[in-house]
Amino acid sequence: MPKVLIVDDDLTFVRFLEHKLSSEGYEVVSVNNGVTVIQIAQTERPDVILMDVMMPVMDGFETCQRLKSHPTLNSIPVIMVTARDDEEDIIRGLDLGATDYVAKPIVIPVLLARLRSAVRTTLDEVALSSVAVISKEPEIIPYESEEKYRLFIDNLTNPLVVYDTDGIIMQMNSAAANNIGTTVDNAIGKPVCELIPVFDEGNSERIRQIVESGKGLEYESEVLFPIGQRWVRLNLQPIKDSNGNVIAIQSISYDITDRKNWESTLRTSDERFRRFAETSVDIFFQIDKKGNIQYISPKVYSLFGRKSEDLIGRHFSETMPNDDIDSASDAFNKILNGNEVSNLCIGQMDKKGLIIPVEINATPVIDEISGEIIGLQGVMRDITERKQAEYELLEHKERLNSVLQNSPDFVTEIDHNCIIQYMNRNVPGFRVEDTIGKSLFEFIQPEDHEGLHSAIKHVFETGEMSTTETVATPPDGLTRSFEARFGPVKHDGRVESAIMTATDISERKVVEEQQCKLNKYLIERNREQDQIIHASSHDLRSPVLNIQGFTTELDLALKQLTSVLDNEDVPLEIRNEVSGILMSDVSESLIQILSNSSKMDQLITGLSHVSRAGRHVPVIEDLNMNHLMATIKKDIKPHLKMNGIILDIDDLPFCKGDKEQIKVVFTNLIGNAVKYLDAERKGVVKVTGWNGGDEVTYCVEDNGIGIRSEYHEKIFEIFHQLNPTNDTGDGLGLTITNKILGRHGGNIWIESELGSGSKFFVSLASAT
């Protein structure tokens, strides 16, 4: 039964291997440190030693070196066990004389194959050492012993060659002959370097070293055999005569092609991983069951200012702030229990003690054979920028929430089914907890459902905003009116929900309703007023005309009577008495009657114009105001010329309006400007205009006497005159102007100060 000596300080690992190897027919002996290996090996004489690299007191490298330097133990194959799987460690172990190595986690089939190879090496060498020493003189070897030796070496599975110190083949087994495609008899007596490729030009130097030192050596080489390219390990041992002189070299070769290929694949895979780890923006790490760092990628230096080699072997908690050690330890234990840890956010201290936030994702590392968890591996990412963004986002959310909480409107979010997902605050009649998860239509009066549904549908289908007014019935039963504005919430270009911003317009609706009633009342009163004015102007005009007619008749009669009195037949006394009456009282009365009736006729005509302005339906068209002003200027040109008045008209924008009525407006305004000029200075009237988008504004400016501010509104009232005693007008011009502009949807206002002239502004719709 082959004997294996296990050297490892991990008791759990040793017990696992003892169980596995015992079941495969091996006798197992174990020690937990390198110090006692020499003593135990001398006592137990194992066929192979399986030794861990990382051990307390004396590591595997030093122990291997001592074994290979020991005169009686140096031939025992040593297989190194390493958790690092580091190329430098592997090369160092092999250079110190290790036969092979395996990496943790152990793959049992691989370990058993390497143990079998190592045991075969030991058995071959032990068997050969028991054979009689070969002399240069073949005749001193008994025939029987020679036959036994030939039979023995022919049964060896590994190729064996014996050659003298000149490199001439003395003996060879069948395995060696088959490897080079020849026979044993054909090989005997030929130079080993010419026949066997593995013995290259360096063989003479190796023979010299063995002859001088009396010690064997091993080396590895890649050789082209007839069967193809192979890697072999050669064990060269001296054969000595009875005086201890080296008289021949015994070579046993071992095919290590599979091991080399595996090592190459491992190195390639390891190199790819390292290149990826070293170029990644993240930090890769591996930790064993004790919490000690086994590997950490070089990126750790740029982030924390610490070198990878300074962290390997240290406990993971040594670089953490105290506040995060408990949560990290809980996560570590969770992984060792077979769970994964995702998005663990903790702090890591850099070399200066500054705490850097990181996110960790880690998984357990499981031994493929035993199924046991032997540690963990994971990725660490610097999330400083993300944390800053999260902090800024939180601040933004808090500010937004504060705005929403203090908004006079209430804001809700609804999904495609109109289910309320969010509401910013309680509003009169509605509580947040009573609305979330319910349909918006539960709180809307049925007659408004269609309009509300249409507005919401528009948002989800077009991604555009919409507005509607609706009446809601909250749980308290008191209906309230709202103006609801809907906007889309998009993700990847798709409308996922809608935000409704609702303004309580209940009070506004009450005011609008009252205003509507008032407008209806005023419209009715104005209609009645227009009817009264129209009837009055019609009914008053006939008596006035009669008065004017009868007064004219009286005037003619008076003139006839005066002519009769001029007759000499009329006594002088009577003539004088009657003439006094007729010429003073009657004549003056007739003049007053004619004057007042004429004024009454003027007022009636003005009332007729006011009535007509209120009843006339405007014929709206685009108006060329430059042509219209030219017509007005032509009509009043004689008056302007006679009084030396300047009328300056700019290039005016077009507007919409009834041509005849707008002509009345500006005729009245220009006429008033001319009428109220200051006699102390030369009169100037200027007309300007400008376009403001949907409407145009015109200004009629004069340098006349001006109007006190207290009269700015009164001048538009009916029959109002600034100076009734001296004013020849009827006080209806601005009233008519205001009424015409009202029918056009326009407006009129004044800017004026006494003694500084006046500016009358008119606004009308822009032309298309």
Side-chain angles (χ1 to χ4, degrees):
M1 178 182 293
K3 183 183 291 186
V4 179
L5 172 59
I6 300 175
V7 188
D8 200 309
D9 62 325
D10 189 339
L11 183 60
T12 302
F13 181 65
V14 171
R15 295 289 177 265
F16 167 70
L17 286 182
E18 286 179 346
H19 171 71
K20 289 293 184 182
L21 297 182
S22 297
S23 65
E24 294 292 333
Y26 289 92
E27 180 182 351
V28 181
V29 181
S30 64
V31 294
N32 62 3
N33 63 81
V35 177
T36 59
V37 169
I38 301 297
Q39 180 183 352
I40 298 299
Q42 286 178 315
T43 304
E44 297 292 338
R45 304 299 299 182
D47 296 299
V48 63
I49 298 174
L50 190 62
M51 182 161 54
D52 190 16
V53 170
M54 303 294 291
M55 291 188 297
V57 185
M58 183 186 296
D59 63 20
F61 298 125
E62 184 178 351
T63 305
C64 181
Q65 188 177 23
R66 291 192 179 190
L67 282 168
K68 292 303 176 181
S69 300
H70 196 279
T72 61
L73 303 176
N74 60 2
S75 62
I76 300 175
V78 176
I79 299 177
M80 305 295 286
V81 179
T82 173
R84 291 185 173 182
D85 196 15
D86 191 295
E87 185 176 346
E88 293 181 2
D89 286 350
I90 295 169
I91 294 172
R92 183 181 175 190
L94 294 175
D95 287 344
L96 290 172
T99 306
D100 211 336
Y101 82 97
V102 290
K104 292 181 179 179
I106 296 292
V107 179
I108 293 300
V110 175
L111 174 62
L112 293 175
R114 297 191 175 182
L115 284 174
R116 287 193 297 270
S117 176
V119 169
R120 279 198 305 270
T121 300
T122 303
L123 294 177
D124 288 347
E125 292 174 353
V126 169
L128 287 172
S129 67
S130 66
V131 177
V133 176
I134 299 177
S135 172
K136 276 193 174 182
E137 294 78 14
E139 62 270 19
I140 70 170
I141 301 177
Y143 176 79
E144 183 181 357
S145 296
E146 184 178 354
E147 284 299 316
K148 288 182 179 179
Y149 176 72
R150 290 181 183 280
L151 288 173
F152 179 79
I153 65 173
D154 275 340
N155 289 322
L156 291 177
T157 57
N158 291 93
L160 179 143
V161 179
V162 178
Y163 51 91
D164 63 19
T165 55
D166 292 325
I168 303 302
I169 297 174
M170 301 172 63
Q171 188 56 266
M172 175 187 291
N173 67 355
S174 299
N178 292 335
N179 260 4
I180 60 175
T182 187
T183 63
V184 174
D185 292 339
N186 188 47
I188 300 298
K190 293 182 179 179
V192 68
C193 291
E194 294 180 5
L195 195 60
I196 305 176
V198 74
F199 295 102
D200 53 18
E201 62 274 6
N203 196 53
S204 297
E205 177 62 23
R206 286 189 283 270
I207 292 174
R208 187 190 64 78
Q209 291 179 11
I210 294 172
V211 170
E212 290 180 356
S213 67
K215 296 180 180 180
L217 59 82
E218 284 188 345
Y219 71 97
E220 295 177 355
S221 180
E222 188 176 18
V223 185
L224 179 61
F225 289 106
I227 61 173
Q229 199 84 7
R230 307 296 293 177
W231 271 94
V232 295
R233 176 169 59 85
L234 287 98
N235 183 285
L236 307 181
Q237 296 296 330
I239 298 176
K240 302 176 182 179
D241 60 15
S242 57
N243 295 321
N245 297 318
V246 178
I247 59 174
I249 309 295
Q250 170 190 288
S251 168
I252 300 179
S253 62
Y254 304 91
D255 189 333
I256 59 172
T257 303
D258 290 342
R259 192 197 81 187
K260 282 291 185 179
N261 290 338
W262 184 80
E263 288 175 356
S264 176
T265 301
L266 186 63
R267 281 195 298 271
T268 301
S269 176
D270 183 62
E271 181 62 25
R272 287 175 180 169
F273 169 76
R274 289 184 184 278
R275 283 201 302 267
F276 175 73
E278 291 172 7
T279 57
S280 173
V281 296
D282 297 328
I283 297 173
F284 291 81
F285 62 87
Q286 293 175 339
I287 299 175
D288 63 18
K289 289 178 66 174
K290 297 177 182 178
N292 297 323
I293 299 171
Q294 298 298 304
Y295 170 81
I296 189 163
S297 56
K299 180 68 177 178
V300 72
Y301 181 78
S302 62
L303 183 57
F304 300 116
R306 302 177 186 271
K307 295 182 179 179
S308 301
E309 52 267 31
D310 295 337
L311 294 174
I312 292 176
R314 296 174 62 180
H315 196 273
F316 68 82
S317 63
E318 293 183 30
T319 58
M320 287 184 182
N322 292 333
D323 292 344
D324 287 334
I325 290 178
D326 287 344
S327 58
S329 298
D330 290 342
F332 178 73
N333 292 327
K334 181 180 178 181
I335 296 172
L336 293 184
N337 286 326
N339 301 299
E340 295 184 357
V341 168
S342 300
N343 306 322
L344 173 65
C345 295
I346 58 174
Q348 286 284 317
M349 292 186 297
D350 66 6
K351 199 169 184 177
K352 297 179 181 179
L354 178 67
I355 297 176
I356 298 175
V358 297
E359 180 184 81
I360 292 177
N361 295 279
T363 59
V365 176
I366 301 174
D367 187 291
E368 295 181 0
I369 304 302
S370 67
E372 294 184 359
I373 295 174
I374 58 175
L376 62 88
Q377 60 188 4
V379 179
M380 180 189 306
R381 173 172 293 180
D382 178 11
I383 57 172
T384 302
E385 293 183 359
R386 193 183 82 187
K387 282 294 183 182
Q388 180 63 29
E390 288 175 354
Y391 175 75
E392 293 175 357
L393 179 61
L394 180 61
E395 279 193 328
H396 176 73
K397 286 183 176 179
E398 289 177 351
R399 289 196 299 269
L400 179 60
N401 187 58
S402 177
V403 170
L404 291 174
Q405 291 296 322
N406 293 286
S407 172
D409 299 332
F410 78 91
V411 182
T412 61
E413 182 181 12
I414 59 174
D415 62 15
H416 283 267
N417 298 316
C418 298
I419 302 300
I420 299 173
Q421 305 295 317
Y422 165 82
M423 183 166 148
N424 62 326
R425 61 179 178 84
N426 294 331
V427 293
F430 295 93
R431 296 188 307 169
V432 172
E433 56 267 30
D434 294 335
T435 58
I436 300 298
K438 294 184 178 180
S439 172
L440 178 64
F441 289 95
E442 290 187 28
F443 308 101
I444 305 300
Q445 288 190 345
E447 54 267 29
D448 289 342
H449 282 192
E450 183 177 351
L452 187 65
H453 181 269
S454 177
I456 296 172
K457 182 180 179 182
H458 177 79
V459 173
F460 280 104
E461 289 185 351
T462 67
E464 299 174 352
M465 296 187 66
S466 63
T467 302
T468 188
E469 290 185 3
T470 187
V471 177
T473 304
D476 62 11
L478 299 176
T479 58
R480 307 188 70 82
S481 297
F482 291 94
E483 180 183 71
R485 299 174 296 280
F486 294 92
V489 177
K490 298 181 179 180
H491 180 70
D492 292 335
R494 177 179 176 272
V495 180
E496 290 193 341
S497 60
I499 296 295
M500 181 185 76
T501 304
T503 302
D504 190 337
I505 57 172
S506 302
E507 294 182 0
R508 191 187 82 188
K509 281 294 184 181
V510 172
V511 172
E512 288 178 353
E513 186 177 354
Q514 293 174 345
Q515 185 177 10
C516 183
K517 291 180 179 179
L518 179 60
N519 287 339
K520 288 181 179 180
Y521 174 79
L522 291 176
I523 290 172
E524 182 62 25
R525 297 287 79 77
N526 285 335
R527 187 181 65 79
E528 292 177 356
Q529 185 182 52
D530 287 342
Q531 290 177 346
I532 292 172
I533 292 174
H534 177 68
S536 298
S537 62
H538 180 271
D539 293 344
L540 289 175
R541 182 171 297 279
S542 294
V544 169
L545 291 176
N546 289 334
I547 291 173
Q548 289 177 333
F550 289 134
T551 302
T552 301
E553 291 293 327
L554 288 174
D555 185 52
L556 291 174
L558 179 61
K559 289 178 180 180
Q560 292 176 354
L561 183 60
T562 302
S563 177
V564 171
L565 289 176
D566 288 340
N567 194 323
E568 294 179 355
D569 295 336
V570 177
L572 181 61
E573 182 180 352
I574 295 173
R575 184 191 307 163
N576 290 336
E577 183 178 356
V578 174
S579 294
I581 295 172
L582 293 177
M583 298 305 296
S584 60
D585 295 337
V586 176
S587 178
E588 183 177 348
S589 296
L590 287 175
I591 292 172
Q592 288 296 324
I593 290 172
L594 285 173
S595 174
N596 286 328
S597 63
S598 177
K599 193 169 187 177
M600 178 65 73
D601 182 60
Q602 184 179 357
L603 288 175
I604 292 171
T605 301
L607 286 175
S608 178
H609 290 162
V610 171
S611 174
R612 190 179 302 113
R615 290 181 290 107
H616 177 75
V617 178
V619 179
I620 304 299
E621 59 180 318
D622 289 346
L623 299 181
N624 186 331
M625 291 299 292
N626 295 306
H627 291 172
L628 189 67
M629 288 297 174
T631 301
I632 296 174
K633 186 174 183 179
K634 182 179 180 181
D635 292 342
I636 62 173
K637 184 176 181 180
H639 181 74
L640 296 175
K641 185 176 182 180
M642 182 176 64
N643 293 281
I645 300 171
I646 298 174
L647 177 57
D648 185 11
I649 301 174
D650 281 358
D651 186 31
L652 302 176
F654 289 18
C655 68
K656 282 183 175 295
D658 184 293
K659 183 177 181 180
E660 293 303 322
Q661 289 197 316
I662 298 303
K663 181 180 179 181
V664 170
V665 167
F666 284 95
T667 298
N668 286 342
L669 293 177
I670 294 173
N672 283 345
V674 170
K675 183 177 179 180
Y676 294 104
L677 288 172
D678 191 340
E680 301 295 327
R681 53 180 176 262
K682 186 176 181 66
V684 177
V685 178
K686 187 173 183 178
V687 182
T688 57
W690 55 90
N691 199 322
D694 293 336
E695 66 177 19
V696 292
T697 302
Y698 303 99
C699 176
V700 178
E701 179 182 1
D702 64 61
N703 64 341
I705 60 175
I707 303 172
R708 287 191 178 93
S709 58
E710 59 264 32
Y711 295 113
H712 286 184
E713 293 184 7
K714 292 182 179 180
I715 58 175
F716 297 104
E717 295 176 1
I718 193 170
F719 297 130
H720 183 82
Q721 293 175 302
L722 290 176
N723 189 355
T725 57
N726 298 325
D727 202 335
T728 58
D730 54 18
L732 295 174
L734 290 178
T735 302
I736 294 171
T737 297
N738 192 27
K739 206 171 189 66
I740 291 173
L741 291 174
R743 297 280 288 183
H744 280 71
N747 198 9
I748 183 171
W749 66 96
I750 182 176
E751 291 179 5
S752 180
E753 291 183 8
L754 189 64
S756 299
S758 302
K759 293 180 181 180
F760 281 86
F761 297 91
V762 172
S763 66
L764 288 165
S766 298
T768 55

